[in-house]
Amino acid sequence: FVVIHQLISERCQVSEPTVRRYIHRTFPPTKQPTMVRATTPGEIMEVDFGYLGISYDRKERRNRKTYLFSGRLRHSRRAYRERVFCEGQANFFAGHIHAFEYFGGVPRKVVPDNLKAAILAASFDDPLVNRAYHDLARHYGFLICPCQPYSPRQKGGVESDIKYVKRNFWPLFREAQRRLGREVVDAEELASELARWSEEVADRHIVRGIGRSPQELFESEERTALAALPAFRWDRLVCAQ
């Protein structure tokens, strides 16, 4: 708009807002076609990490890079979200376990990105799965279905969830912390507020094109489709013996 306004100003006097209104009225944006993917209750959970920002770790008494782990059920769009300080194996595995316990069951498939905590060597035909991740999957009874190389859209739901958190939760939380006199947010309060926001806001928003909330879809269609949790929680050291 700025460039067009400058070019027009050489011939006639007109304000930039007038140029913007004329362009929006004459050349409305083209609507991009969307395709709704068919989903099956209890079939797939997508998992990924996303960077949030810097938070203060009370235990170590220092500022640390802070990430979001998201485990999102593809059918109901309900997600388990957790604040972590790194994208390593321990947090990756713990995120799965906490997500299964949060949902009260296990999906048939989990779709991770090709990060080293899950996949040692990405491949279109035969990806090499991390041994510990394989043990985790065997214990809980889910299939590992990693994205094909350079195909992040295969887990587009969890990618969208991370963007949703960064655009809707993170700015509001940072502003609330600033009002308390904190330029760097508190990690403990971040974790608790993220959990509250997930249940009270994210789980209850109406999904566009569906007309129902993730909570409603989960309770009515997906909860009973998940496989039962095993008798005991997976422990890497015990299961590796």
Side-chain angles (χ1 to χ4, degrees):
F1 296 111
V2 174
V3 175
I4 294 175
H5 174 250
Q6 291 178 344
L7 293 174
I8 293 176
S9 297
E10 296 176 359
R11 299 188 178 183
C12 62
Q13 295 297 319
V14 61
S15 66
E16 184 179 329
T18 300
V19 174
R20 288 178 179 271
R21 288 195 297 270
Y22 174 79
I23 293 176
H24 283 307
R25 184 174 62 251
T26 309
F27 307 101
T30 303
K31 293 184 178 180
Q32 297 296 323
T34 58
M35 180 178 68
V36 178
R37 293 184 295 179
T39 59
T40 302
E43 181 73 11
I44 292 175
M45 180 177 79
E46 301 171 0
V47 296
D48 203 1
F49 286 110
Y51 178 68
L52 281 179
I54 302 296
S55 68
Y56 179 73
D57 183 359
R58 297 182 192 177
K59 293 182 179 179
E60 296 198 5
R61 298 182 179 181
R62 64 185 178 95
N63 295 337
R64 303 182 65 180
K65 289 184 176 180
T66 307
Y67 302 85
L68 169 74
F69 171 87
S70 175
R72 180 182 183 271
L73 295 172
R74 183 175 290 181
H75 179 74
S76 65
R77 285 81 165 172
R78 194 177 187 210
Y80 169 76
R81 307 174 182 93
E82 183 174 329
R83 181 270 298 153
V84 297
F85 288 126
C86 71
E87 301 174 303
Q89 283 189 5
N91 287 329
F92 184 68
F93 298 154
H96 282 65
I97 296 169
H98 297 161
F100 298 150
E101 294 174 354
Y102 179 75
F103 296 135
V106 184
R108 287 183 282 277
K109 302 176 183 177
V110 173
V111 179
D113 202 349
N114 289 296
L115 66 167
K116 292 299 182 181
I119 308 300
L120 297 177
S123 170
F124 286 99
D125 302 315
D126 189 21
L128 181 60
V129 177
N130 180 292
R131 180 178 177 180
Y133 192 39
H134 180 271
D135 289 341
L136 174 70
R138 183 172 56 183
H139 180 81
Y140 284 95
F142 65 86
L143 295 176
I144 301 171
C145 300
C147 294
Q148 292 182 348
Y150 313 110
S151 302
R153 290 187 179 181
Q154 291 183 352
K155 58 174 181 61
V158 73
E159 296 271 1
S160 297
D161 183 64
I162 291 172
K163 292 178 182 177
Y164 176 61
V165 173
K166 293 173 72 172
R167 292 173 180 172
N168 294 272
F169 166 76
W170 182 244
L172 294 177
F173 178 71
R174 288 184 63 188
E175 180 58 29
Q177 289 282 290
R178 286 195 184 101
R179 292 177 181 176
L180 296 175
R182 298 172 183 153
E183 287 302 318
V184 178
V185 303
D186 182 84
E188 294 301 320
E189 293 185 12
L190 167 59
S192 60
E193 188 63 18
L194 177 62
R196 185 202 64 78
W197 177 85
S198 293
E199 293 188 3
E200 297 182 5
V201 179
D203 279 357
R204 299 182 185 182
H205 85 277
I206 302 302
V207 180
R208 186 183 305 175
I210 303 296
R212 301 168 71 189
S213 69
Q215 180 69 27
E216 290 176 303
L217 290 168
F218 177 78
E219 295 294 345
S220 63
E221 300 178 11
E222 191 144 45
R223 180 188 288 276
T224 56
L226 297 172
L229 290 166
F232 58 93
R233 177 185 278 193
W234 181 77
D235 185 301
R236 182 173 180 178
L237 295 178
V238 173
C239 295
Q241 294 179 353

mmCIF file of all heavy atoms in Angstrom, residues 60-91:
data_model
loop_
_atom_site.group_PDB
_atom_site.id
_atom_site.type_symbol
_atom_site.label_atom_id
_atom_site.label_comp_id
_atom_site.label_asym_id
_atom_site.label_seq_id
_atom_site.Cartn_x
_atom_site.Cartn_y
_atom_site.Cartn_z
ATOM 1 N N GLU A 60 16.375 -23.315 39.668
ATOM 2 C CA GLU A 60 17.751 -22.997 39.288
ATOM 3 C C GLU A 60 18.072 -21.519 39.415
ATOM 4 O O GLU A 60 19.210 -21.096 39.197
ATOM 5 C CB GLU A 60 18.020 -23.477 37.862
ATOM 6 C CG GLU A 60 17.927 -24.988 37.707
ATOM 7 C CD GLU A 60 18.594 -25.477 36.441
ATOM 8 O OE1 GLU A 60 19.214 -24.644 35.729
ATOM 9 O OE2 GLU A 60 18.509 -26.688 36.168
ATOM 10 N N ARG A 61 17.058 -20.721 39.740
ATOM 11 C CA ARG A 61 17.223 -19.287 39.956
ATOM 12 C C ARG A 61 17.882 -18.594 38.763
ATOM 13 O O ARG A 61 18.821 -17.819 38.896
ATOM 14 C CB ARG A 61 18.055 -19.032 41.222
ATOM 15 C CG ARG A 61 17.408 -19.567 42.491
ATOM 16 C CD ARG A 61 18.241 -19.250 43.708
ATOM 17 N NE ARG A 61 17.603 -19.750 44.929
ATOM 18 C CZ ARG A 61 18.110 -19.596 46.148
ATOM 19 N NH1 ARG A 61 19.269 -18.953 46.302
ATOM 20 N NH2 ARG A 61 17.483 -20.091 47.199
ATOM 21 N N ARG A 62 17.352 -18.878 37.602
ATOM 22 C CA ARG A 62 17.876 -18.241 36.381
ATOM 23 C C ARG A 62 16.807 -18.261 35.289
ATOM 24 O O ARG A 62 15.841 -19.028 35.347
ATOM 25 C CB ARG A 62 19.127 -18.963 35.888
ATOM 26 C CG ARG A 62 18.909 -20.407 35.445
ATOM 27 C CD ARG A 62 20.222 -21.082 35.090
ATOM 28 N NE ARG A 62 20.078 -22.469 34.705
ATOM 29 C CZ ARG A 62 19.961 -22.888 33.436
ATOM 30 N NH1 ARG A 62 19.974 -22.008 32.442
ATOM 31 N NH2 ARG A 62 19.860 -24.185 33.170
ATOM 32 N N ASN A 63 17.011 -17.389 34.309
ATOM 33 C CA ASN A 63 16.121 -17.356 33.157
ATOM 34 C C ASN A 63 16.478 -18.489 32.200
ATOM 35 O O ASN A 63 17.662 -18.766 31.971
ATOM 36 C CB ASN A 63 16.238 -16.021 32.429
ATOM 37 C CG ASN A 63 15.772 -14.862 33.285
ATOM 38 O OD1 ASN A 63 14.993 -15.045 34.222
ATOM 39 N ND2 ASN A 63 16.253 -13.666 32.982
ATOM 40 N N ARG A 64 15.450 -19.106 31.620
ATOM 41 C CA ARG A 64 15.695 -20.241 30.732
ATOM 42 C C ARG A 64 14.787 -20.182 29.513
ATOM 43 O O ARG A 64 13.666 -19.664 29.572
ATOM 44 C CB ARG A 64 15.458 -21.569 31.474
ATOM 45 C CG ARG A 64 16.297 -21.744 32.721
ATOM 46 C CD ARG A 64 16.055 -23.098 33.366
ATOM 47 N NE ARG A 64 16.504 -24.194 32.515
ATOM 48 C CZ ARG A 64 16.404 -25.480 32.851
ATOM 49 N NH1 ARG A 64 15.870 -25.818 34.016
ATOM 50 N NH2 ARG A 64 16.834 -26.421 32.033
ATOM 51 N N LYS A 65 15.278 -20.719 28.409
ATOM 52 C CA LYS A 65 14.427 -20.878 27.240
ATOM 53 C C LYS A 65 13.306 -21.851 27.587
ATOM 54 O O LYS A 65 13.535 -22.865 28.233
ATOM 55 C CB LYS A 65 15.223 -21.413 26.053
ATOM 56 C CG LYS A 65 16.202 -20.417 25.456
ATOM 57 C CD LYS A 65 16.869 -20.997 24.220
ATOM 58 C CE LYS A 65 17.781 -19.972 23.570
ATOM 59 N NZ LYS A 65 18.443 -20.523 22.352
ATOM 60 N N THR A 66 12.105 -21.526 27.148
ATOM 61 C CA THR A 66 10.936 -22.297 27.537
ATOM 62 C C THR A 66 10.157 -22.744 26.311
ATOM 63 O O THR A 66 9.927 -21.954 25.386
ATOM 64 C CB THR A 66 10.023 -21.464 28.455
ATOM 65 O OG1 THR A 66 10.822 -20.965 29.549
ATOM 66 C CG2 THR A 66 8.876 -22.293 28.994
ATOM 67 N N TYR A 67 9.755 -24.020 26.324
ATOM 68 C CA TYR A 67 9.079 -24.613 25.175
ATOM 69 C C TYR A 67 7.711 -25.165 25.589
ATOM 70 O O TYR A 67 7.417 -25.369 26.765
ATOM 71 C CB TYR A 67 9.924 -25.747 24.593
ATOM 72 C CG TYR A 67 11.301 -25.316 24.157
ATOM 73 C CD1 TYR A 67 12.345 -25.266 25.087
ATOM 74 C CD2 TYR A 67 11.565 -24.950 22.845
ATOM 75 C CE1 TYR A 67 13.616 -24.867 24.699
ATOM 76 C CE2 TYR A 67 12.834 -24.560 22.458
ATOM 77 C CZ TYR A 67 13.853 -24.515 23.392
ATOM 78 O OH TYR A 67 15.113 -24.110 23.015
ATOM 79 N N LEU A 68 6.905 -25.409 24.584
ATOM 80 C CA LEU A 68 5.592 -26.011 24.780
ATOM 81 C C LEU A 68 5.589 -27.399 24.159
ATOM 82 O O LEU A 68 5.985 -27.569 23.010
ATOM 83 C CB LEU A 68 4.518 -25.147 24.107
ATOM 84 C CG LEU A 68 3.127 -25.772 23.984
ATOM 85 C CD1 LEU A 68 2.439 -25.780 25.346
ATOM 86 C CD2 LEU A 68 2.279 -25.002 22.973
ATOM 87 N N PHE A 69 5.174 -28.397 24.937
ATOM 88 C CA PHE A 69 4.898 -29.721 24.374
ATOM 89 C C PHE A 69 3.396 -29.811 24.171
ATOM 90 O O PHE A 69 2.622 -29.511 25.085
ATOM 91 C CB PHE A 69 5.351 -30.848 25.303
ATOM 92 C CG PHE A 69 4.887 -32.216 24.837
ATOM 93 C CD1 PHE A 69 5.640 -32.948 23.934
ATOM 94 C CD2 PHE A 69 3.683 -32.747 25.299
ATOM 95 C CE1 PHE A 69 5.209 -34.192 23.487
ATOM 96 C CE2 PHE A 69 3.241 -33.990 24.856
ATOM 97 C CZ PHE A 69 4.012 -34.713 23.948
ATOM 98 N N SER A 70 2.982 -30.230 22.988
ATOM 99 C CA SER A 70 1.555 -30.395 22.705
ATOM 100 C C SER A 70 1.299 -31.790 22.167
ATOM 101 O O SER A 70 1.976 -32.246 21.245
ATOM 102 C CB SER A 70 1.079 -29.350 21.685
ATOM 103 O OG SER A 70 -0.280 -29.578 21.327
ATOM 104 N N GLY A 71 0.335 -32.467 22.774
ATOM 105 C CA GLY A 71 -0.163 -33.738 22.260
ATOM 106 C C GLY A 71 -1.630 -33.542 21.911
ATOM 107 O O GLY A 71 -2.465 -33.383 22.810
ATOM 108 N N ARG A 72 -1.963 -33.546 20.619
ATOM 109 C CA ARG A 72 -3.304 -33.162 20.171
ATOM 110 C C ARG A 72 -4.001 -34.333 19.479
ATOM 111 O O ARG A 72 -3.468 -34.917 18.526
ATOM 112 C CB ARG A 72 -3.213 -31.988 19.204
ATOM 113 C CG ARG A 72 -4.546 -31.478 18.653
ATOM 114 C CD ARG A 72 -4.274 -30.357 17.687
ATOM 115 N NE ARG A 72 -5.466 -29.738 17.146
ATOM 116 C CZ ARG A 72 -6.107 -30.146 16.044
ATOM 117 N NH1 ARG A 72 -5.644 -31.207 15.386
ATOM 118 N NH2 ARG A 72 -7.166 -29.519 15.600
ATOM 119 N N LEU A 73 -5.192 -34.648 19.943
ATOM 120 C CA LEU A 73 -6.003 -35.678 19.304
ATOM 121 C C LEU A 73 -6.603 -35.112 18.022
ATOM 122 O O LEU A 73 -7.247 -34.060 18.052
ATOM 123 C CB LEU A 73 -7.116 -36.144 20.244
ATOM 124 C CG LEU A 73 -6.644 -36.846 21.528
ATOM 125 C CD1 LEU A 73 -7.824 -37.077 22.459
ATOM 126 C CD2 LEU A 73 -5.946 -38.159 21.204
ATOM 127 N N ARG A 74 -6.378 -35.793 16.928
ATOM 128 C CA ARG A 74 -6.785 -35.242 15.636
ATOM 129 C C ARG A 74 -8.301 -35.134 15.502
ATOM 130 O O ARG A 74 -8.814 -34.184 14.898
ATOM 131 C CB ARG A 74 -6.221 -36.099 14.501
ATOM 132 C CG ARG A 74 -6.540 -35.567 13.107
ATOM 133 C CD ARG A 74 -5.868 -36.361 12.014
ATOM 134 N NE ARG A 74 -4.417 -36.141 12.011
ATOM 135 C CZ ARG A 74 -3.593 -36.725 11.129
ATOM 136 N NH1 ARG A 74 -4.076 -37.566 10.230
ATOM 137 N NH2 ARG A 74 -2.301 -36.477 11.173
ATOM 138 N N HIS A 75 -9.045 -36.084 16.041
ATOM 139 C CA HIS A 75 -10.501 -36.069 15.836
ATOM 140 C C HIS A 75 -11.188 -34.973 16.637
ATOM 141 O O HIS A 75 -11.885 -34.129 16.089
ATOM 142 C CB HIS A 75 -11.102 -37.425 16.187
ATOM 143 C CG HIS A 75 -12.595 -37.466 16.020
ATOM 144 N ND1 HIS A 75 -13.197 -37.519 14.779
ATOM 145 C CD2 HIS A 75 -13.607 -37.428 16.934
ATOM 146 C CE1 HIS A 75 -14.515 -37.523 14.932
ATOM 147 N NE2 HIS A 75 -14.791 -37.466 16.228
ATOM 148 N N SER A 76 -11.001 -34.977 17.953
ATOM 149 C CA SER A 76 -11.711 -34.017 18.803
ATOM 150 C C SER A 76 -11.024 -32.661 18.894
ATOM 151 O O SER A 76 -11.616 -31.698 19.375
ATOM 152 C CB SER A 76 -11.882 -34.583 20.210
ATOM 153 O OG SER A 76 -10.624 -34.749 20.841
ATOM 154 N N ARG A 77 -9.762 -32.585 18.460
ATOM 155 C CA ARG A 77 -8.955 -31.358 18.575
ATOM 156 C C ARG A 77 -8.592 -31.031 20.019
ATOM 157 O O ARG A 77 -8.065 -29.962 20.304
ATOM 158 C CB ARG A 77 -9.653 -30.138 17.983
ATOM 159 C CG ARG A 77 -9.695 -30.023 16.474
ATOM 160 C CD ARG A 77 -10.773 -30.845 15.876
ATOM 161 N NE ARG A 77 -11.033 -30.463 14.476
ATOM 162 C CZ ARG A 77 -11.826 -31.131 13.661
ATOM 163 N NH1 ARG A 77 -12.450 -32.217 14.100
ATOM 164 N NH2 ARG A 77 -12.018 -30.732 12.424
ATOM 165 N N ARG A 78 -8.857 -31.923 20.936
ATOM 166 C CA ARG A 78 -8.476 -31.669 22.319
ATOM 167 C C ARG A 78 -6.980 -31.921 22.465
ATOM 168 O O ARG A 78 -6.445 -32.868 21.901
ATOM 169 C CB ARG A 78 -9.247 -32.567 23.274
ATOM 170 C CG ARG A 78 -9.144 -32.107 24.722
ATOM 171 C CD ARG A 78 -9.958 -32.962 25.656
ATOM 172 N NE ARG A 78 -9.951 -32.386 27.009
ATOM 173 C CZ ARG A 78 -10.053 -33.105 28.106
ATOM 174 N NH1 ARG A 78 -10.174 -34.419 28.040
ATOM 175 N NH2 ARG A 78 -10.036 -32.521 29.287
ATOM 176 N N ALA A 79 -6.293 -31.063 23.242
ATOM 177 C CA ALA A 79 -4.838 -31.150 23.353
ATOM 178 C C ALA A 79 -4.387 -31.119 24.800
ATOM 179 O O ALA A 79 -4.983 -30.439 25.642
ATOM 180 C CB ALA A 79 -4.180 -30.022 22.570
ATOM 181 N N TYR A 80 -3.325 -31.873 25.061
ATOM 182 C CA TYR A 80 -2.621 -31.774 26.336
ATOM 183 C C TYR A 80 -1.406 -30.895 26.105
ATOM 184 O O TYR A 80 -0.626 -31.133 25.174
ATOM 185 C CB TYR A 80 -2.179 -33.145 26.841
ATOM 186 C CG TYR A 80 -1.231 -33.038 28.012
ATOM 187 C CD1 TYR A 80 -1.711 -32.710 29.281
ATOM 188 C CD2 TYR A 80 0.148 -33.205 27.851
ATOM 189 C CE1 TYR A 80 -0.847 -32.564 30.356
ATOM 190 C CE2 TYR A 80 1.015 -33.072 28.920
ATOM 191 C CZ TYR A 80 0.517 -32.752 30.168
ATOM 192 O OH TYR A 80 1.371 -32.595 31.224
ATOM 193 N N ARG A 81 -1.215 -29.877 26.949
ATOM 194 C CA ARG A 81 -0.120 -28.930 26.761
ATOM 195 C C ARG A 81 0.711 -28.848 28.039
ATOM 196 O O ARG A 81 0.158 -28.813 29.125
ATOM 197 C CB ARG A 81 -0.671 -27.551 26.393
ATOM 198 C CG ARG A 81 -1.618 -27.584 25.196
ATOM 199 C CD ARG A 81 -2.272 -26.240 24.945
ATOM 200 N NE ARG A 81 -3.209 -26.301 23.833
ATOM 201 C CZ ARG A 81 -4.512 -26.546 23.962
ATOM 202 N NH1 ARG A 81 -5.032 -26.728 25.174
ATOM 203 N NH2 ARG A 81 -5.295 -26.592 22.907
ATOM 204 N N GLU A 82 2.027 -28.783 27.862
ATOM 205 C CA GLU A 82 2.922 -28.782 29.008
ATOM 206 C C GLU A 82 4.106 -27.863 28.757
ATOM 207 O O GLU A 82 4.686 -27.869 27.671
ATOM 208 C CB GLU A 82 3.409 -30.211 29.274
ATOM 209 C CG GLU A 82 4.296 -30.359 30.491
ATOM 210 C CD GLU A 82 4.618 -31.816 30.789
ATOM 211 O OE1 GLU A 82 3.784 -32.695 30.493
ATOM 212 O OE2 GLU A 82 5.724 -32.077 31.316
ATOM 213 N N ARG A 83 4.470 -27.090 29.775
ATOM 214 C CA ARG A 83 5.646 -26.220 29.708
ATOM 215 C C ARG A 83 6.893 -27.021 30.032
ATOM 216 O O ARG A 83 6.938 -27.721 31.031
ATOM 217 C CB ARG A 83 5.477 -25.062 30.700
ATOM 218 C CG ARG A 83 6.630 -24.054 30.703
ATOM 219 C CD ARG A 83 7.711 -24.434 31.685
ATOM 220 N NE ARG A 83 7.254 -24.472 33.052
ATOM 221 C CZ ARG A 83 7.801 -25.223 33.997
ATOM 222 N NH1 ARG A 83 8.824 -26.020 33.727
ATOM 223 N NH2 ARG A 83 7.317 -25.217 35.231
ATOM 224 N N VAL A 84 7.907 -26.933 29.175
ATOM 225 C CA VAL A 84 9.164 -27.650 29.407
ATOM 226 C C VAL A 84 10.330 -26.702 29.128
ATOM 227 O O VAL A 84 10.172 -25.670 28.474
ATOM 228 C CB VAL A 84 9.289 -28.907 28.518
ATOM 229 C CG1 VAL A 84 8.200 -29.914 28.854
ATOM 230 C CG2 VAL A 84 9.239 -28.544 27.043
ATOM 231 N N PHE A 85 11.519 -27.082 29.607
ATOM 232 C CA PHE A 85 12.703 -26.253 29.421
ATOM 233 C C PHE A 85 13.620 -26.749 28.292
ATOM 234 O O PHE A 85 14.582 -26.074 27.941
ATOM 235 C CB PHE A 85 13.514 -26.168 30.713
ATOM 236 C CG PHE A 85 12.853 -25.329 31.779
ATOM 237 C CD1 PHE A 85 12.631 -25.842 33.039
ATOM 238 C CD2 PHE A 85 12.454 -24.024 31.512
ATOM 239 C CE1 PHE A 85 12.028 -25.072 34.030
ATOM 240 C CE2 PHE A 85 11.846 -23.247 32.482
ATOM 241 C CZ PHE A 85 11.632 -23.772 33.749
ATOM 242 N N CYS A 86 13.350 -27.930 27.768
ATOM 243 C CA CYS A 86 14.161 -28.411 26.636
ATOM 244 C C CYS A 86 13.349 -29.410 25.838
ATOM 245 O O CYS A 86 12.328 -29.931 26.308
ATOM 246 C CB CYS A 86 15.479 -29.021 27.115
ATOM 247 S SG CYS A 86 15.281 -30.611 27.954
ATOM 248 N N GLU A 87 13.814 -29.709 24.636
ATOM 249 C CA GLU A 87 13.112 -30.614 23.732
ATOM 250 C C GLU A 87 13.756 -32.005 23.726
ATOM 251 O O GLU A 87 13.692 -32.706 22.733
ATOM 252 C CB GLU A 87 13.117 -30.035 22.321
ATOM 253 C CG GLU A 87 12.464 -28.676 22.223
ATOM 254 C CD GLU A 87 12.607 -28.056 20.843
ATOM 255 O OE1 GLU A 87 13.757 -27.900 20.372
ATOM 256 O OE2 GLU A 87 11.572 -27.743 20.230
ATOM 257 N N GLY A 88 14.367 -32.402 24.834
ATOM 258 C CA GLY A 88 15.061 -33.675 24.912
ATOM 259 C C GLY A 88 14.128 -34.864 25.080
ATOM 260 O O GLY A 88 12.907 -34.733 25.211
ATOM 261 N N GLN A 89 14.749 -36.050 25.110
ATOM 262 C CA GLN A 89 13.994 -37.294 25.204
ATOM 263 C C GLN A 89 13.141 -37.358 26.465
ATOM 264 O O GLN A 89 11.986 -37.782 26.420
ATOM 265 C CB GLN A 89 14.953 -38.485 25.187
ATOM 266 C CG GLN A 89 15.504 -38.837 23.824
ATOM 267 C CD GLN A 89 16.274 -40.142 23.852
ATOM 268 O OE1 GLN A 89 16.321 -40.817 24.874
ATOM 269 N NE2 GLN A 89 16.890 -40.484 22.728
ATOM 270 N N ALA A 90 13.707 -36.975 27.609
ATOM 271 C CA ALA A 90 12.973 -37.093 28.868
ATOM 272 C C ALA A 90 11.647 -36.341 28.811
ATOM 273 O O ALA A 90 10.594 -36.867 29.196
ATOM 274 C CB ALA A 90 13.833 -36.575 30.019
ATOM 275 N N ASN A 91 11.663 -35.104 28.332
ATOM 276 C CA ASN A 91 10.437 -34.320 28.239
ATOM 277 C C ASN A 91 9.513 -34.844 27.146
ATOM 278 O O ASN A 91 8.287 -34.768 27.258
ATOM 279 C CB ASN A 91 10.770 -32.852 27.976
ATOM 280 C CG ASN A 91 11.343 -32.169 29.201
ATOM 281 O OD1 ASN A 91 11.015 -32.516 30.328
ATOM 282 N ND2 ASN A 91 12.222 -31.194 28.985
#
